[in-house]
Each structure stands twice: as structure tokens, then as C-alpha cells.
Amino acid sequence: MNKLPERIRIKDIARLANVSVGTVDRVIHGRSGVSEVSKKRVEEILKQLDYQPNMYASALASNKKYLFGCLLPRHLAGEYWTAVEEGINEAVETYSDFNTSVKICYYDPYDYRSFAASSEEILAQEPDGIMMAPTAPQYTRNFIGRLNEQHIPYIYIDSNIKDTAALAYYGQNSRQSGYFAARMLMLLARDEKEIVIFRKIHEGIVGSNQQENREIGFRQYMKEYHPSCNILELDLRAESNDGDNQMLDDFFRAHPTVNNGITFNSKAFIIGEYLRNRKRTEFKLIGYDLLERNVTCLKEGSVSFLIAQQPELQGFNGIKSLCDHLIFKKEVTSINYMPIDLLTAETIDYYHSK
């Protein structure tokens, strides 16, 4: 065999197989119009050379359309999931040359039946791939089973469900994040004997696997290093912010010496704004996510630390992984943990400028 250039071209394969360039192109892309003898000769050369076609060019030439379904919690503009959607839309725009589009369906995170209804809606669109923020595992598995039956690849973001066939996961290691948050809170609390966990909850449902796992990691750290510290709980109403201030007033009236707390959801501003308005400057609060109102509380001092998790990047990379898998036939890394970024009033502006 003659010496070949480092970059194998279709015309090199055609020369070695003694066929036309058009014949090689048809064999590579599985098109008809090639005799069995020529096809076999080309395939032998491809195997000998371990030839990998330029998937980027092939995808551009195919004109196939790709629809990605996204299943996200229902939310208001400016809340955490808005940033995830920004990442999704940026990815779709980035890969627009490959005829990509997205259909986003929403579910009520406090109603498991809503997840089932929205999953049916998204399956009716006949998507090529799915990206989802899963609800509780026992209510997500039916949808996963349907996807596996139909050979539809799926990506998890925000929280992971282990022992499933997901193509990839993008999000924090939730338990490790909660473990880390406990360590940071106790640096603030020092030797105090009471702390409080604030939740947003509806009929016993927290609304996020990630929040539940963060609390598990948090409690693990407390059990290991501060077993005598009393962990109090205050469950605020998830369906409405009305009455939160009264519930907080009642809590602090009953527990006047509690000066440290944490919330595992993205609405730290609810407690932060309350603390500011009530002038409770001695209270130290840790929260999650860079919502504008959270950042304002951080800068004003009613939130001590915010833990960020790059939601835009989760949305972007989730769609990118589907493109890599379906369009470019690339191998995708299955577990992709987001960094656990601890932000203060002194560092937040530099983080925003990234």
C-alpha cells in the first residue's frame, strides 16, 4: 500500500479501492447506488485505515432535523430556571446549522402528577433527545422506562438519579454541596448550640431532589462534627410568599437566640429581605444561587454566603451533549459535576464578570 497523508481524504480511499470519489461518499453515508463488489472493496479499505468520517461535515450535509425536548420545573421570570433556559437557548443557537430546535415543557415541582402529564406532552412531540430536571425517582422512573423503550437518549440536569441509563448528568454533587455548606455555616456559628433550616414546602413536598440531597449531606456533616447542635426547621409555604413574614416573626419570637441558618433552595432572598427589614443584623444566613434579589441581599449583608452552581452552563452543556451524541457520534462523559462556588459580598462582582 502506498504511503498515505496523515489526514485521510475520501479521494485517497477512492484511489486505494480503485473506485470513484462518489462511490466512496455513498458507502460512507449509507446511500444506495453502489455495487456489492465496490461496496465491499471500500469497506475493507475503511477498516484497514480505521477511517473516521468528518462528522461535522456529514451532519451539515445530511439536512436531518433534531428536536430536543426539555422538561423543567414551572417558574417565574428571573428565578433559577430562567438561567437554565438561557443556556438551552444559547446551545440551540450555537448548533442551529444542524437544524436543531427545542420544545420546553413545564411541570409543577410540588405535584408529581404534573410531571407525568408534561412527560406525556413531550413524548407526543417525538423528540430525538430529552433533557430533564427529574422529580422524585419513584415518579421519574416510568418516564425513563418509556424513553428506554423508544431508544431516546436523555440527560439529567440539577439532580441525578443513579442506576439509570442516562446519557449524562450536569449539576452539583448535591450531598457534597450540603456537607460543604454545613462546614461553612459552622464557621460562622462557632460554638452556638442551635441553627435553623428554612424550607419552601407544599404538602410535605420540597419540590427538588437536589434540595433533599443537600440536606442529607448537611445533616451528615453536623452528625459527624457537631452532634450536640440542635437543628431547628421552619417550613414556609411554597405556593405563596404571603404570610412568610408572620411565620418568621413567630419563629424568632419562639427562638430568640438562634442566629444562624441555611436554605437549600434558590429563594434565600425571602429570609434575607425579612432580616434586613427587621434589622436582625446578627443573623448569619447561607443560601444558594445568584438570583438578582439573592445577590442584593448578599451585598447588603443579610445573606452571608451564596453557593452558586452555574445553571446557564448546565443548560448549555446538556444540549451540547445531546448534539455530540446524536449528530457527531461522539462519546459523552456521563457524570459532569458543577463546581461548588462560595461567594461573598467581596467576590460577587468578580464572579459576575466571568
Side-chain angles (χ1 to χ4, degrees):
M1 186 177 290
N2 296 331
K3 185 178 181 180
L4 293 169
E6 290 184 7
R7 181 177 180 272
I8 306 300
R9 299 165 297 182
I10 287 180
K11 71 177 185 179
D12 298 316
I13 297 167
R15 175 172 54 82
L16 291 168
N18 196 26
V19 297
S20 69
V21 169
T23 295
V24 176
D25 186 72
R26 284 191 289 273
V27 172
I28 288 173
H29 296 101
R31 292 193 286 268
S32 59
V34 181
S35 70
E36 282 300 316
V37 173
S38 295
K39 181 181 178 182
K40 184 177 180 180
R41 190 181 305 142
V42 171
E43 288 176 341
E44 287 176 352
I45 297 297
L46 293 173
K47 185 176 180 180
Q48 290 174 23
L49 298 176
D50 191 25
Y51 177 77
Q52 298 295 322
N54 185 333
M55 297 310 299
Y56 192 94
S58 299
L60 281 173
S62 72
N63 289 321
K64 175 176 168 53
K65 295 182 178 179
Y66 295 89
L67 173 64
F68 302 130
C70 295
L71 192 52
L72 302 179
R74 195 176 300 144
H75 57 279
L76 299 175
E79 293 185 340
Y80 172 81
W81 293 102
T82 302
V84 173
E85 286 195 60
E86 290 173 358
I88 291 170
N89 292 330
E90 182 183 350
V92 171
E93 177 63 26
T94 298
Y95 293 99
S96 60
D97 286 349
F98 304 97
N99 301 310
T100 57
S101 61
V102 65
K103 168 68 175 178
I104 301 178
C105 293
Y106 303 96
Y107 65 91
D108 182 346
Y110 301 100
D111 182 355
Y112 299 131
R113 294 168 299 179
S114 175
F115 182 89
S118 294
S119 64
E120 289 295 330
E121 179 184 352
I122 213 165
L123 280 174
Q125 303 291 324
E126 299 183 351
D128 296 286
I130 294 286
M131 184 172 74
M132 73 176 104
T135 188
Q138 62 269 38
Y139 296 98
T140 305
R141 290 187 186 278
N142 182 58
F143 183 41
I144 292 170
R146 300 278 298 281
L147 296 177
N148 290 336
E149 287 173 5
Q150 298 181 39
H151 304 289
I152 299 173
Y154 55 95
I155 303 282
Y156 293 136
I157 59 170
D158 189 60
S159 63
N160 192 19
I161 298 181
K162 296 181 179 180
D163 303 320
T164 59
L167 180 64
Y169 164 65
Y170 288 92
Q172 286 185 341
N173 182 329
S174 300
R175 294 195 183 191
Q176 191 66 27
S177 176
Y179 192 93
F180 171 75
R183 182 181 178 190
M184 294 302 100
L185 183 62
M186 296 314 293
L187 288 177
L188 298 173
R190 297 179 182 274
D191 297 324
E192 294 195 25
K193 298 303 181 184
E194 288 185 318
I195 60 172
V196 56
I197 293 174
F198 299 104
R199 304 191 193 95
K200 274 283 188 176
I201 198 165
H202 177 64
E203 295 182 355
I205 299 173
V206 174
S208 165
N209 300 334
Q210 190 184 70
Q211 291 175 48
E212 292 183 351
N213 287 326
R214 285 170 181 166
E215 184 169 335
I216 290 171
F218 183 92
R219 289 182 178 276
Q220 179 184 343
Y221 179 90
M222 296 301 294
K223 182 178 180 180
E224 290 176 4
Y225 293 99
H226 300 275
S228 63
C229 185
N230 185 27
I231 302 176
L232 304 170
E233 302 170 4
L234 178 61
D235 292 339
L236 303 172
R237 299 185 184 91
E239 68 275 15
S240 172
N241 295 337
D242 296 337
D244 282 347
N245 285 352
Q246 184 60 56
M247 294 179 72
L248 287 162
D249 280 339
D250 293 343
F251 174 82
F252 283 113
R253 192 177 297 113
H255 305 280
T257 61
V258 176
N259 289 317
N260 300 275
I262 188 167
T263 179
F264 299 113
N265 61 50
S266 61
K267 295 186 177 181
F269 64 85
I270 292 174
I271 298 102
E273 290 172 0
Y274 167 87
L275 296 170
R276 179 192 63 201
N277 294 336
R278 295 294 193 270
K279 294 182 172 53
R280 295 190 63 98
T281 58
E282 76 285 357
F283 195 90
K284 304 298 187 296
L285 176 67
I286 293 180
Y288 278 79
D289 302 322
L290 302 189
L291 278 66
E292 184 176 345
R293 290 167 74 179
N294 285 352
V295 171
T296 298
C297 290
L298 183 69
K299 290 183 174 182
E300 292 179 347
S302 57
V303 170
S304 300
F305 295 139
L306 283 174
I307 298 175
Q309 54 178 328
Q310 302 183 1
E312 299 93 340
L313 197 57
Q314 291 182 48
F316 183 92
N317 282 341
I319 296 298
K320 178 181 182 297
S321 289
L322 289 173
C323 290
D324 284 344
H325 176 72
L326 290 167
I327 302 175
F328 308 121
K329 315 303 179 187
K330 292 182 179 179
E331 187 173 340
V332 174
T333 302
S334 58
I335 300 297
N336 304 271
Y337 285 131
M338 295 290 102
I340 302 172
D341 295 325
L342 184 71
L343 302 174
T344 68
E346 294 79 15
T347 62
I348 185 65
D349 287 335
Y350 301 100
Y351 189 83
H352 269 160
S353 66
K354 284 184 178 180

